[in-house]
Each structure stands twice: as C-alpha cells, then as structure tokens.
Amino acid sequence: LKALTHGPRRALDQEATALGPGQIADLTIIDPKASWILDESSMVSKGTNTPFLGKVFMGRASRTIVAGQTVFSV
C-alpha cells in the first residue's frame, strides 16, 4: 500500500501529503472483497487484446473522489 500511495509522489520528487479536516481530497475507495469479471463492455481502454477477458478478479474501486467531488461510483 505504501508503494502505491507514497511511491508515485517520491518518484516525481513531490512532498508527501496528509489528509486532514478541511482539506480537499483526491482518493479512491477500494472494496477488497468485491469480485468481478473482466469483459469487453467493462473495459475503458480501446485496446481489447488481453489474456484476462473472462477472468474473475478480487478487489475493485467503488468510488473515486477528485478535488472533493465524486467522479466515479459503482
């Protein structure tokens, strides 16, 4: 988790930030127990050449918040 949350900022030489009261949030809420199947209709990419079509996955983003506004929700 640390590599996914702090690693990108470190790679870009950006200072780590903390979420606190009154701050605008950019975050993604993950449901680690959600299972889902990858199919062409659920793909965002125009490229559909993947060996993972039809496979079952565990864990899914359930909500994404950017600048304090929900931009994605299932």
Side-chain angles (χ1 to χ4, degrees):
L1 185 59
K2 186 176 181 179
L4 296 174
T5 57
H6 295 287
R9 285 192 157 283
R10 191 172 29 250
L12 297 171
D13 286 327
Q14 293 181 346
E15 190 174 318
T17 59
L19 187 59
Q23 291 182 307
I24 295 175
D26 289 346
L27 45 94
T28 301
I29 299 169
I30 306 290
D31 179 354
K33 295 181 181 178
S35 66
W36 58 284
I37 299 172
L38 179 66
D39 60 22
E40 288 186 30
S41 67
S42 65
M43 293 179 65
V44 178
S45 173
K46 291 182 181 181
T48 57
N49 184 15
T50 176
F52 301 109
L53 283 175
K55 302 289 183 189
V56 177
F57 292 91
M58 291 299 295
R60 186 168 199 159
S62 59
R63 184 174 178 192
T64 302
I65 302 167
V66 177
Q69 300 294 314
T70 297
V71 296
F72 170 79
S73 181
V74 256

